[in-house]
Amino acid sequence: MLWDLVLSGLWGFLGGFALIIGAIMGFYFRIPPRLVAGIMAFGSGVLLSAISFELLDEAYYLGGFLDVAAGFLVGAIIFTLTNLYLARKGAKHRKRSQRPQDFEGSGVAIAAGSVIDGIPESIAIGLTMIGGVGVSTATLVAVFLSNIPEGLSSTVGMKSDGWKPTHVFGLWLVIAISTALASIIGYSVFQYLPDAFTSVALAIAAGGILAMLVDTMIPEAFSQSHDLSGLITVVGFTVSFILSKLY
């Protein structure tokens, strides 16, 4: 039991650590905006596949159609309402590498928004460990690959806003730790509850992730890569789909 809790935290932290990797790339290397957008599109496709073939599929198996539909909608509503509130506080363009000229971002709001973005993914990692079969490799890889462009894009924007390195990397470290805690919660809270609760939780996580993708990552991808964003997203989706069937 204790070892499984530790593992769930480690897997969650690994997914969040990709944000730090992306932050290093974005802060210390000059990466063309089109490449950033392309990586963002690829990460979006990876997560879309994980939602479809890992989270929702497992949620349907455990609970059925009503649990999936209700949880999926609730997850999207929770994320959307939270995102709207944070957007008004200054976190609307937190994932954009090129801020609008009239951007007035709040560091606290950007930090809170980044945490909210990562919570559903991290909870999902912990939920996939329930049943004693280990973490879902496809879900973990999907979260990891999608977090790299997220950290990269956001950090490029933070750097252009004048953030100091200690503030940037301190923020991402805190977020990585929060992803570890969210993964532990996903595993520990739901493993002794009826399958229907786990089903709804998986669907809520999936709904939150999908809403996050459409509200933040996909617009950033399209803003620079335009006509290529669809193709790159499909490539990411395909890679994640193959992983879900191999592992």
Coordinates of all heavy atoms in Angstrom, one line a residue, residues 23-91:
A23 N 10.3 24.1 -19.7 CA 10.7 25.4 -19.2 C 12.2 25.7 -19.5 O 12.6 26.8 -19.9 CB 10.4 25.5 -17.7
I24 N 13.0 24.7 -19.3 CA 14.5 24.9 -19.6 C 14.7 25.2 -21.1 O 15.4 26.1 -21.5 CB 15.3 23.6 -19.2 CG1 15.2 23.4 -17.7 CG2 16.7 23.7 -19.7 CD1 15.8 22.1 -17.2
M25 N 14.0 24.4 -22.0 CA 14.1 24.7 -23.4 C 13.6 26.1 -23.8 O 14.2 26.7 -24.6 CB 13.2 23.6 -24.1 CG 13.7 22.2 -24.0 SD 12.5 21.0 -24.6 CE 12.4 21.5 -26.3
G26 N 12.5 26.5 -23.1 CA 11.9 27.8 -23.5 C 12.7 28.9 -22.9 O 12.7 30.0 -23.6
F27 N 13.4 28.8 -21.8 CA 14.1 29.9 -21.2 C 15.5 30.1 -21.7 O 15.9 31.2 -21.9 CB 14.1 29.7 -19.7 CG 14.4 31.0 -18.9 CD1 13.4 31.7 -18.5 CD2 15.7 31.4 -18.7 CE1 13.6 32.9 -17.8 CE2 16.0 32.6 -18.0 CZ 14.9 33.3 -17.5
Y28 N 16.2 29.0 -22.0 CA 17.6 29.1 -22.4 C 17.9 28.9 -23.9 O 19.0 29.1 -24.3 CB 18.4 28.1 -21.6 CG 18.4 28.4 -20.1 CD1 17.8 27.6 -19.2 CD2 19.1 29.5 -19.6 CE1 17.8 27.9 -17.8 CE2 19.2 29.8 -18.3 CZ 18.5 29.0 -17.4 OH 18.5 29.3 -16.0
F29 N 16.9 28.5 -24.6 CA 17.1 28.3 -26.0 C 16.1 29.1 -26.8 O 14.9 29.3 -26.5 CB 17.0 26.8 -26.4 CG 18.0 25.9 -25.7 CD1 17.6 25.3 -24.5 CD2 19.2 25.7 -26.2 CE1 18.5 24.5 -23.8 CE2 20.1 24.9 -25.5 CZ 19.8 24.3 -24.4
R30 N 16.6 29.6 -28.0 CA 15.7 30.4 -28.8 C 15.0 29.5 -29.8 O 15.6 29.0 -30.8 CB 16.5 31.5 -29.6 CG 15.6 32.4 -30.4 CD 16.5 33.5 -31.1 NE 17.2 34.3 -30.2 CZ 16.7 35.4 -29.6 NH1 15.5 35.7 -29.8 NH2 17.4 36.1 -28.8
I31 N 13.7 29.2 -29.5 CA 13.0 28.2 -30.3 C 12.0 29.0 -31.2 O 11.2 29.8 -30.6 CB 12.3 27.2 -29.4 CG1 13.4 26.4 -28.6 CG2 11.5 26.2 -30.3 CD1 12.8 25.4 -27.7
P32 N 11.9 28.7 -32.5 CA 11.0 29.5 -33.4 C 9.6 29.2 -32.9 O 9.2 28.1 -32.5 CB 11.3 28.8 -34.7 CG 12.6 28.3 -34.7 CD 12.8 27.8 -33.2
P33 N 8.7 30.3 -33.0 CA 7.3 30.2 -32.6 C 6.6 29.1 -33.3 O 5.7 28.4 -32.7 CB 6.8 31.5 -32.9 CG 7.9 32.5 -32.8 CD 9.1 31.7 -33.3
R34 N 6.9 28.9 -34.6 CA 6.2 27.8 -35.4 C 6.6 26.4 -34.8 O 5.7 25.5 -34.8 CB 6.6 27.9 -36.8 CG 5.9 29.1 -37.5 CD 6.3 29.2 -39.0 NE 5.8 28.0 -39.8 CZ 4.6 27.9 -40.3 NH1 3.8 28.9 -40.2 NH2 4.3 26.9 -41.0
L35 N 7.8 26.3 -34.4 CA 8.2 25.0 -33.8 C 7.5 24.8 -32.5 O 7.0 23.6 -32.2 CB 9.7 24.9 -33.6 CG 10.3 23.6 -33.0 CD1 9.8 22.4 -33.8 CD2 11.8 23.7 -32.8
V36 N 7.4 25.8 -31.7 CA 6.6 25.7 -30.4 C 5.2 25.3 -30.6 O 4.6 24.4 -30.0 CB 6.7 27.1 -29.6 CG1 5.8 27.0 -28.4 CG2 8.1 27.4 -29.3
A37 N 4.6 26.0 -31.6 CA 3.2 25.6 -32.0 C 3.1 24.2 -32.5 O 2.1 23.5 -32.2 CB 2.7 26.6 -33.0
G38 N 4.0 23.8 -33.3 CA 4.0 22.4 -33.8 C 4.1 21.4 -32.6 O 3.4 20.4 -32.6
I39 N 5.0 21.6 -31.7 CA 5.1 20.7 -30.5 C 3.8 20.8 -29.7 O 3.4 19.7 -29.2 CB 6.3 21.2 -29.6 CG1 7.6 21.1 -30.4 CG2 6.4 20.3 -28.4 CD1 8.8 21.6 -29.7
M40 N 3.2 21.9 -29.6 CA 1.9 22.0 -28.9 C 0.8 21.2 -29.6 O 0.0 20.6 -28.9 CB 1.5 23.5 -28.8 CG 0.3 23.8 -27.9 SD 0.8 23.7 -26.1 CE 1.6 25.2 -25.9
A41 N 0.8 21.3 -30.9 CA -0.2 20.5 -31.7 C 0.0 19.0 -31.5 O -0.9 18.2 -31.3 CB -0.1 20.8 -33.2
F42 N 1.3 18.6 -31.5 CA 1.6 17.2 -31.3 C 1.1 16.7 -29.9 O 0.5 15.7 -29.7 CB 3.1 16.9 -31.4 CG 3.5 15.5 -31.2 CD1 3.5 14.6 -32.3 CD2 4.0 15.0 -30.0 CE1 3.9 13.3 -32.2 CE2 4.4 13.7 -29.9 CZ 4.3 12.9 -30.9
G43 N 1.4 17.5 -28.9 CA 1.0 17.2 -27.5 C -0.5 17.1 -27.4 O -1.1 16.3 -26.6
S44 N -1.2 18.0 -28.1 CA -2.7 18.0 -28.1 C -3.2 16.7 -28.6 O -4.1 16.1 -28.1 CB -3.2 19.2 -28.9 OG -2.8 20.4 -28.3
G45 N -2.6 16.2 -29.7 CA -3.0 15.0 -30.3 C -2.8 13.8 -29.4 O -3.6 12.9 -29.3
V46 N -1.6 13.8 -28.7 CA -1.3 12.7 -27.8 C -2.4 12.7 -26.7 O -2.8 11.6 -26.3 CB 0.1 13.0 -27.2 CG1 0.3 12.1 -26.0 CG2 1.2 12.7 -28.2
L47 N -2.7 13.8 -26.1 CA -3.7 13.8 -25.0 C -5.1 13.4 -25.5 O -5.9 12.8 -24.8 CB -3.7 15.2 -24.4 CG -2.8 15.4 -23.2 CD1 -3.0 16.8 -22.6 CD2 -3.0 14.3 -22.1
L48 N -5.5 13.9 -26.7 CA -6.8 13.5 -27.3 C -6.9 12.0 -27.4 O -8.0 11.4 -27.1 CB -7.0 14.1 -28.6 CG -7.3 15.6 -28.7 CD1 -7.2 16.2 -30.1 CD2 -8.7 15.8 -28.1
S49 N -5.8 11.3 -27.8 CA -5.9 9.9 -27.9 C -6.0 9.2 -26.5 O -6.7 8.3 -26.3 CB -4.6 9.4 -28.6 OG -4.6 8.0 -28.6
A50 N -5.2 9.7 -25.5 CA -5.3 9.2 -24.2 C -6.7 9.3 -23.6 O -7.2 8.4 -22.9 CB -4.3 9.9 -23.3
I51 N -7.3 10.5 -23.9 CA -8.7 10.7 -23.4 C -9.6 9.6 -24.0 O -10.4 9.0 -23.3 CB -9.2 12.1 -23.8 CG1 -8.5 13.1 -23.0 CG2 -10.7 12.2 -23.5 CD1 -8.7 14.5 -23.5
S52 N -9.5 9.4 -25.3 CA -10.4 8.5 -26.0 C -10.2 7.0 -25.6 O -11.2 6.3 -25.3 CB -10.2 8.7 -27.5 OG -10.5 10.0 -27.9
F53 N -8.9 6.6 -25.7 CA -8.7 5.1 -25.6 C -8.2 4.6 -24.2 O -8.1 3.4 -24.0 CB -7.6 4.7 -26.7 CG -8.1 5.0 -28.1 CD1 -7.6 6.1 -28.8 CD2 -9.1 4.3 -28.7 CE1 -8.0 6.4 -30.1 CE2 -9.6 4.5 -29.9 CZ -9.0 5.6 -30.6
E54 N -7.9 5.5 -23.3 CA -7.5 5.1 -22.0 C -8.5 5.6 -21.0 O -9.1 4.7 -20.3 CB -6.1 5.8 -21.7 CG -5.0 5.2 -22.5 CD -4.6 3.8 -22.1 OE1 -4.6 3.5 -20.9 OE2 -4.5 2.9 -23.0
L55 N -8.8 6.8 -20.8 CA -9.6 7.3 -19.7 C -11.1 7.0 -19.9 O -11.7 6.4 -19.1 CB -9.4 8.8 -19.6 CG -8.0 9.3 -19.3 CD1 -7.9 10.8 -19.1 CD2 -7.4 8.6 -18.1
L56 N -11.6 7.4 -21.1 CA -13.1 7.2 -21.3 C -13.4 5.7 -21.5 O -14.4 5.2 -21.0 CB -13.5 8.0 -22.5 CG -13.6 9.5 -22.3 CD1 -14.2 10.2 -23.5 CD2 -14.5 9.9 -21.1
D57 N -12.5 5.0 -22.1 CA -12.7 3.6 -22.3 C -12.8 2.9 -21.0 O -13.7 2.0 -20.8 CB -11.6 3.0 -23.2 CG -12.0 1.7 -23.9 OD1 -13.1 1.6 -24.4 OD2 -11.2 0.8 -23.9
E58 N -11.8 3.2 -20.1 CA -11.8 2.5 -18.8 C -13.0 3.0 -18.0 O -13.6 2.2 -17.2 CB -10.5 2.9 -18.1 CG -10.4 2.3 -16.7 CD -10.2 0.8 -16.7 OE1 -10.0 0.2 -17.8 OE2 -10.4 0.2 -15.6
A59 N -13.4 4.3 -18.1 CA -14.5 4.8 -17.3 C -15.8 4.1 -17.8 O -16.7 3.7 -16.9 CB -14.7 6.3 -17.6
Y60 N -16.0 3.8 -19.1 CA -17.2 3.1 -19.6 C -17.2 1.7 -19.1 O -18.2 1.1 -18.7 CB -17.2 3.2 -21.1 CG -18.4 2.5 -21.7 CD1 -19.6 3.1 -21.7 CD2 -18.2 1.2 -22.3 CE1 -20.7 2.4 -22.2 CE2 -19.3 0.6 -22.8 CZ -20.6 1.2 -22.8 OH -21.6 0.5 -23.3
Y61 N -16.0 1.0 -19.1 CA -15.9 -0.3 -18.6 C -16.3 -0.5 -17.1 O -17.0 -1.4 -16.7 CB -14.5 -0.9 -18.8 CG -14.2 -2.2 -18.2 CD1 -14.7 -3.4 -18.9 CD2 -13.6 -2.3 -17.0 CE1 -14.4 -4.6 -18.3 CE2 -13.3 -3.6 -16.4 CZ -13.7 -4.7 -17.1 OH -13.5 -5.9 -16.5
L62 N -15.9 0.5 -16.3 CA -16.2 0.4 -14.9 C -17.6 0.9 -14.5 O -18.2 0.4 -13.6 CB -15.2 1.3 -14.1 CG -13.8 0.9 -14.1 CD1 -12.9 1.9 -13.5 CD2 -13.6 -0.5 -13.4
G63 N -18.2 1.8 -15.3 CA -19.4 2.4 -14.8 C -20.6 2.4 -15.8 O -21.7 2.4 -15.5
G64 N -20.3 2.5 -17.1 CA -21.3 2.6 -18.1 C -21.5 4.0 -18.7 O -20.8 4.9 -18.3
F65 N -22.5 4.1 -19.5 CA -22.7 5.3 -20.3 C -23.1 6.5 -19.5 O -22.5 7.6 -19.6 CB -23.8 5.0 -21.3 CG -24.2 6.3 -22.1 CD1 -23.4 6.7 -23.1 CD2 -25.4 7.0 -21.8 CE1 -23.7 7.9 -23.8 CE2 -25.7 8.1 -22.5 CZ -24.9 8.6 -23.5
L66 N -24.0 6.4 -18.5 CA -24.4 7.5 -17.7 C -23.3 8.1 -16.9 O -23.2 9.3 -16.8 CB -25.6 7.1 -16.9 CG -26.9 6.8 -17.6 CD1 -28.0 6.4 -16.6 CD2 -27.4 8.1 -18.4
D67 N -22.5 7.2 -16.3 CA -21.4 7.7 -15.4 C -20.4 8.5 -16.3 O -19.9 9.5 -15.9 CB -20.7 6.5 -14.8 CG -21.5 5.9 -13.7 OD1 -22.4 6.5 -13.2 OD2 -21.3 4.7 -13.4
V68 N -20.1 7.9 -17.5 CA -19.2 8.6 -18.4 C -19.7 9.9 -18.8 O -19.0 11.0 -18.8 CB -18.9 7.7 -19.6 CG1 -18.0 8.5 -20.6 CG2 -18.1 6.5 -19.2
A69 N -20.9 10.0 -19.3 CA -21.5 11.2 -19.8 C -21.6 12.3 -18.7 O -21.2 13.4 -18.9 CB -22.9 10.9 -20.4
A70 N -22.0 11.9 -17.5 CA -22.2 12.9 -16.4 C -20.8 13.4 -16.0 O -20.6 14.6 -15.8 CB -22.9 12.2 -15.3
G71 N -19.9 12.5 -15.8 CA -18.5 12.9 -15.3 C -17.8 13.7 -16.4 O -17.2 14.7 -16.0
F72 N -17.9 13.4 -17.6 CA -17.3 14.1 -18.7 C -17.8 15.5 -18.8 O -17.0 16.5 -18.9 CB -17.6 13.4 -20.0 CG -16.6 13.7 -21.1 CD1 -15.2 13.6 -21.0 CD2 -17.1 14.1 -22.4 CE1 -14.3 13.9 -22.0 CE2 -16.2 14.4 -23.4 CZ -14.8 14.3 -23.2
L73 N -19.1 15.7 -18.6 CA -19.7 17.0 -18.7 C -19.3 17.8 -17.4 O -18.9 19.0 -17.5 CB -21.2 16.9 -18.8 CG -22.0 18.3 -18.9 CD1 -21.5 19.0 -20.1 CD2 -23.5 18.0 -19.0
V74 N -19.3 17.2 -16.3 CA -19.0 17.9 -15.0 C -17.5 18.3 -15.1 O -17.2 19.5 -14.7 CB -19.2 17.0 -13.8 CG1 -18.6 17.5 -12.6 CG2 -20.7 16.8 -13.6
G75 N -16.6 17.5 -15.6 CA -15.2 17.8 -15.7 C -15.0 19.1 -16.5 O -14.2 20.0 -16.2
A76 N -15.7 19.1 -17.7 CA -15.6 20.3 -18.6 C -16.1 21.5 -17.9 O -15.5 22.6 -18.1 CB -16.3 20.0 -19.9
I77 N -17.2 21.4 -17.2 CA -17.8 22.6 -16.5 C -16.9 23.1 -15.5 O -16.7 24.3 -15.3 CB -19.2 22.2 -15.9 CG1 -20.2 21.9 -17.1 CG2 -19.7 23.3 -15.0 CD1 -21.6 21.4 -16.6
I78 N -16.4 22.2 -14.6 CA -15.5 22.6 -13.6 C -14.3 23.4 -14.1 O -13.9 24.5 -13.6 CB -15.0 21.4 -12.7 CG1 -16.2 20.8 -11.9 CG2 -13.9 21.8 -11.8 CD1 -15.8 19.5 -11.2
F79 N -13.6 22.8 -15.2 CA -12.5 23.5 -15.7 C -12.9 24.8 -16.4 O -12.1 25.8 -16.2 CB -11.8 22.6 -16.8 CG -10.6 23.3 -17.5 CD1 -9.4 23.3 -16.9 CD2 -10.8 24.0 -18.6 CE1 -8.3 23.9 -17.5 CE2 -9.8 24.7 -19.2 CZ -8.5 24.7 -18.7
T80 N -13.9 24.8 -17.1 CA -14.3 26.1 -17.8 C -14.6 27.2 -16.8 O -14.2 28.3 -17.0 CB -15.6 25.8 -18.7 OG1 -15.3 24.8 -19.6 CG2 -16.0 27.1 -19.4
L81 N -15.4 26.9 -15.8 CA -15.7 27.9 -14.8 C -14.4 28.4 -14.1 O -14.3 29.6 -13.9 CB -16.7 27.4 -13.7 CG -18.1 27.1 -14.3 CD1 -19.0 26.5 -13.2 CD2 -18.8 28.4 -14.8
T82 N -13.6 27.5 -13.7 CA -12.3 27.9 -13.1 C -11.4 28.7 -14.0 O -10.8 29.7 -13.6 CB -11.5 26.7 -12.6 OG1 -12.4 25.9 -11.8 CG2 -10.3 27.0 -11.8
N83 N -11.4 28.3 -15.3 CA -10.6 29.0 -16.3 C -11.1 30.4 -16.5 O -10.3 31.3 -16.7 CB -10.6 28.2 -17.6 CG -9.5 28.7 -18.5 OD1 -8.3 28.8 -18.2 ND2 -9.9 28.9 -19.8
L84 N -12.4 30.5 -16.6 CA -13.0 31.9 -16.8 C -12.6 32.8 -15.6 O -12.3 34.0 -15.9 CB -14.5 31.7 -16.9 CG -15.1 31.2 -18.2 CD1 -16.6 30.9 -18.1 CD2 -14.8 32.2 -19.3
Y85 N -12.7 32.3 -14.4 CA -12.3 33.1 -13.3 C -10.9 33.5 -13.3 O -10.5 34.7 -13.1 CB -12.6 32.3 -12.0 CG -12.1 33.0 -10.7 CD1 -12.8 34.1 -10.2 CD2 -10.9 32.6 -10.1 CE1 -12.4 34.7 -9.0 CE2 -10.5 33.3 -9.0 CZ -11.2 34.3 -8.4 OH -10.7 35.0 -7.3
L86 N -10.0 32.6 -13.6 CA -8.6 32.9 -13.7 C -8.2 33.8 -14.8 O -7.3 34.6 -14.7 CB -7.7 31.6 -13.8 CG -7.8 30.7 -12.5 CD1 -7.1 29.3 -12.8 CD2 -7.1 31.4 -11.3
A87 N -9.0 33.6 -15.9 CA -8.7 34.5 -17.1 C -9.0 36.0 -16.7 O -8.3 36.9 -17.1 CB -9.6 34.1 -18.3
R88 N -10.0 36.2 -15.9 CA -10.3 37.6 -15.5 C -9.3 38.1 -14.5 O -9.1 39.3 -14.4 CB -11.7 37.6 -14.8 CG -12.8 37.3 -15.8 CD -14.2 37.3 -15.1 NE -15.3 37.0 -16.1 CZ -16.5 36.8 -15.7 NH1 -16.9 36.9 -14.4 NH2 -17.4 36.5 -16.6
K89 N -8.5 37.2 -13.9 CA -7.5 37.6 -13.0 C -6.1 37.8 -13.6 O -5.2 38.2 -13.0 CB -7.4 36.6 -11.8 CG -8.6 36.5 -11.0 CD -9.0 37.8 -10.2 CE -10.2 37.6 -9.4 NZ -10.5 38.9 -8.6
G90 N -6.0 37.5 -14.9 CA -4.8 37.7 -15.6 C -4.1 36.5 -16.2 O -2.9 36.5 -16.6
A91 N -4.8 35.3 -16.3 CA -4.2 34.1 -16.7 C -4.7 33.7 -18.1 O -4.4 32.5 -18.5 CB -4.4 33.0 -15.7

